[in-house]
Amino acid sequence: MMRIAVVAVSVILLLLAVVWGYQRQLIYLPDTSAARVGGNDVVLQTSDGLLLDASLVPARQPDRGIAVLVANGNGGNRAGRAPLAQALAAEGMTVLLFDYRGYGGNEGSPTERGLARDVRAAQRYLVEKAGLPPERIIYFGESLGGAVVTALATEAAPGGLVLRSPFVDLASVGREHYPFLPVRLLLRDKFPLAEQLAGVKVPVVVVYGSADSIVPPSQSRSVAQAAPTLKDLVEIAGADHNDASLVHGPSVIAAVVRLADQL
C-alpha cells in the first residue's frame, strides 16, 4: 500500500510539473502566419525592444475623431479581426489592430507581462504617432484581451472601455475547464480583470453571448458588476464565444457606437 501511495504521489507531482511547464501552450494559441488586413501597415515598438506588426484602418467619412484599439483574444491573429475593424471604420472610427508577441509572425513568446508591453506600445502609437488624445481612444478587448486592456486602463485611461466576453480572472475560467486541477495555485499568468476593473473610472461596456462555452456568461456578468461606471450590458442571445454575431455582429458594433456617442 505504501508503494502504491508513493507511486500515486509521484504521478500527481509529475502531472503538476507538466502543467506548470506547458501551461502557456494551453493559454496562448497563436496563428504565427503573417496577417493581411488592409488599411495601413504600421510597426509598433515595445519597451523591451520588440517590433510588432499592426494595421491602422482609417475611418470612413464622417470621421468621428475617435480611435478603437483592439486587443485580441488568445487565438488566431489580427486577420481574424478584419471584419470588426471594417465595421467600426464604416461608423467613422479609426481602428488599430495589432498582433501580440509570438502572433502573426512577430518575434517573442506571449506572457501576461509581455502582452502588457505590447498593448502599451499600441496605445503609445495612437497618441504619439497618430495624434489621438487619450480621451478619444476606446479600448476594445475580446476575452483575454479584455484583461489586457483593463490592465492598460489602470495606467493610461482611455475615453471608454469595451469588454467582449470578459472573465473575472484567468483562474476562474481555468476552473471551468480543468476542475480537477488546483488552477489558481498553478497559474503563472493571472490576468485579474475584475480586480483591476474596480479601479477604472471610465465608461465601461460589457458584451457577452448567452451560449458562450469558453467564458461562462456568469463570468461576464460578474465583470459588469465590478465596473464602477458601467454604461451598457449587452447580451447576445444564443451566441457562442467565436460566433460572428459576438465577434463583429451588429449588436457589438452598435454598443461601440453608443459609447463613442458619449465621448
Side-chain angles (χ1 to χ4, degrees):
M1 293 293 293
M2 179 67 71
R3 181 171 182 147
I4 293 174
V6 170
V7 171
V9 169
S10 298
V11 170
I12 291 172
L13 290 175
L14 178 61
L15 175 62
L16 294 179
V18 169
V19 172
W20 174 263
Y22 289 94
Q23 62 181 264
R24 284 180 173 143
Q25 283 88 330
L26 299 175
I27 295 170
Y28 306 105
L29 306 172
D31 181 339
T32 58
S33 60
R36 295 289 178 266
V37 172
N40 303 315
D41 292 335
V42 300
V43 176
L44 314 177
Q45 183 165 9
T46 69
S47 59
D48 58 345
L50 288 181
L51 299 179
L52 307 178
D53 289 333
S55 302
L56 189 68
V57 180
R60 299 181 198 169
Q61 297 301 322
D63 189 340
R64 294 171 178 265
I66 289 175
V68 181
L69 190 169
V70 177
N72 302 338
N74 69 325
N77 61 32
R78 71 185 189 279
R81 284 74 185 182
L84 172 66
Q86 295 298 335
L88 292 173
E91 294 291 344
M93 289 173 273
T94 297
V95 183
L96 180 62
L97 302 179
F98 72 101
D99 283 317
Y100 303 125
R101 59 190 63 205
Y103 288 71
N106 289 332
E107 295 182 352
S109 299
T111 65
E112 181 176 11
R113 180 174 294 181
L115 268 57
R117 293 178 185 270
D118 299 346
V119 75
R120 190 70 176 89
Q123 190 270 352
R124 191 166 57 246
Y125 177 90
L126 285 173
V127 173
E128 297 178 2
K129 299 292 179 64
L132 271 298
E135 65 273 13
R136 302 295 289 173
I137 300 173
I138 292 172
Y139 298 165
F140 183 107
E142 61 169 51
S143 194
L144 182 113
V148 173
V149 293
T150 299
L152 175 63
T154 64
E155 62 173 86
L161 193 60
V162 178
L163 304 175
R164 199 277 280 176
S165 305
F167 50 70
V168 171
D169 55 32
L170 193 57
S172 299
V173 177
R175 280 201 309 269
E176 295 287 335
H177 299 283
Y178 304 101
F180 52 89
L181 290 175
V183 175
R184 194 169 294 278
L185 293 176
L186 290 172
L187 275 179
R188 301 163 74 179
D189 294 343
K190 309 296 185 183
F191 292 105
L193 193 162
E195 177 184 328
Q196 293 181 322
L197 186 61
V200 174
K201 307 305 181 185
V202 303
V204 175
V205 174
V206 173
V207 182
Y208 69 98
S210 67
D212 197 320
S213 59
I214 304 298
V215 177
S218 59
Q219 290 264 324
S220 295
R221 289 192 292 266
S222 294
V223 168
Q225 292 173 359
T229 316
L230 182 69
K231 291 298 183 182
D232 210 352
L233 178 61
V234 180
E235 178 185 273
I236 300 181
D240 201 351
H241 195 74
N242 293 311
D243 286 352
S245 60
L246 188 54
V247 175
H248 52 77
S251 296
V252 178
I253 305 306
V256 181
V257 169
R258 287 195 297 272
L259 179 59
D261 286 341
Q262 297 177 27
L263 300 186

